[in-house]
Structure formats: C-alpha cells, structure tokens
Amino acid sequence: MSLIEIILIALSLSSDACSVAACKGIAIKKIKMIDAIKIGLYFGVFQMLMPILGYCLGISFFNKLFKYSHILTFILLLIIGIRMISDVKNNQVINNIINTKELIILAIATSLDAFAIGITFSLNNINILFPSIIIGLVTFFLSFICFIIGNKIGLKWQKKALIIAGIILILLAIKTILNM
C-alpha cells in the first residue's frame, strides 16, 4: 500500500472527527492552545489505536461488534447534536469546558470506522503499524485545525453556528445508520 493510499484513507477516516472537532470549537467561547491540542490528541490517538485493535481482534469478533457499532455511533452523535441545538434554545450556548468523558465518547464514536479498516488490513496482510500512525497524525492535525476554525466561526455567529453544528452531527448520525 502506497503512502498516497494511506493518506487518502486517513483523510476519509478523519472527516467525522474533524466535523465533531469543529462543532466543539463552535461551542466554546474562548479556547486555549492546550484545548486544541487535547482535541487533536483524543481524536488522533483513538483513530490510530482503533485500526490496530481491529487488526488484532480479527474478523470473527468484528462481525459481532460491527453489527452494533453503527447504532452506538448513531445514538451518541444524535444525542450530542440534539443537545447542541437544545442549548441554543435555552440560551446556554457557551461551554468553556473540554469535558474528558465527552471527548472519549466522541473519539470512540468517530473512530469505529477505523476499527473496520484494521480488519480489512488484516485480511489483506497489510502491516498495520505505519498506516495507523499516519491515520492518527492526519486526524490529529485536521481535528486540531478544525477545532480552531470552528471556534473562529463560533465567535462571530455562535448561535447560528451551533444550530448548524448540531444539524451536522445529527446528519452524521443519520449517515451512520443509513450505511448499515
């Protein structure tokens, strides 16, 4: 597998994490650089580890788990999207906290497709370590950047941007369920 192919896979896998990172950036009034690094690290590390986990667990366990992963992702993204829109209606649009528990849930929800890639790599005898590192690095940098961009958008149009971000998360949830 070429580096270009790995980067293309990494870009596609990171798209959900980047959308969620941008939405999280919109929801925060004033960010610190450590917040952007934390967002990037959570999404990047989970995107790096999930293909390795998928590779190691193999196809038999995957079939049982993957059957429910779409439903779990759907529920998590739907709840967070609805909560974002609800917060706008209740005038609770500023959230200056980067909640670790929420980040872990979001990182898992957005990296379940990377788990499936790990299974695919194991079936094709592709070494998992280098692609996983590239996937993690690409996701880290893009999530980091999208978080900052989301925050810049949120500073100007926070209420509207939060509603749009909530809708995006709901659409990602629906996309996940439709891809079952």
Side-chain angles (χ1 to χ4, degrees):
M1 179 171 278
S2 73
L3 181 60
I4 301 285
E5 290 171 315
I6 295 169
I7 290 172
L8 290 173
I9 289 170
L11 289 170
S12 67
L13 289 175
S14 69
S15 64
D16 288 353
C18 291
S19 299
V20 173
C23 293
K24 193 65 181 160
I26 288 168
I28 297 175
K29 185 174 184 178
K30 185 177 180 183
I31 63 170
K32 300 172 195 151
M33 190 56 65
I34 193 72
D35 296 332
I37 292 169
K38 189 175 181 181
I39 292 280
L41 279 174
Y42 272 87
F43 288 122
V45 167
F46 275 86
Q47 286 283 10
M48 180 183 72
L49 293 177
M50 288 301 250
I52 295 169
L53 184 62
Y55 189 91
C56 292
L57 290 179
I59 196 70
S60 63
F61 183 70
F62 169 73
N63 285 333
K64 294 174 187 169
L65 180 66
F66 192 71
K67 187 173 17 175
Y68 302 106
S69 68
H70 289 81
I71 295 167
L72 178 63
T73 301
F74 169 77
I75 291 168
L76 294 173
L77 292 176
L78 184 68
I79 289 170
I80 293 166
I82 290 171
R83 195 177 87 201
M84 288 181 96
I85 295 169
S86 168
D87 285 350
V88 172
K89 288 184 177 184
N90 297 328
N91 287 324
Q92 296 174 348
V93 294
I94 305 301
N95 174 7
N96 284 322
I97 337 170
I98 301 290
N99 183 326
T100 302
K101 182 180 174 183
E102 181 182 30
L103 277 181
I104 290 171
I105 291 169
L106 290 171
I108 290 170
T110 58
S111 64
L112 290 173
D113 51 352
F115 181 85
I117 289 295
I119 296 294
T120 304
F121 284 6
S122 73
L123 293 174
N124 292 304
N125 292 323
I126 297 171
N127 185 345
I128 193 66
L129 189 57
F130 182 68
S132 292
I133 291 170
I134 298 299
I135 290 166
L137 288 173
V138 167
T139 303
F140 168 81
F141 286 115
L142 291 177
S143 296
F144 174 87
I145 291 166
C146 288
F147 177 73
I148 293 170
I149 290 170
N151 182 255
K152 299 298 179 200
I153 291 169
L155 289 176
K156 279 190 164 187
W157 303 293
Q158 189 176 42
K159 286 187 178 188
K160 290 178 185 174
L162 270 174
I163 291 170
I164 291 169
I167 291 169
I168 288 170
L169 290 179
I170 291 168
L171 291 174
L172 283 172
I174 292 168
K175 179 193 119 199
T176 301
I177 225 50
L178 291 176
N179 287 339
M180 283 182 69

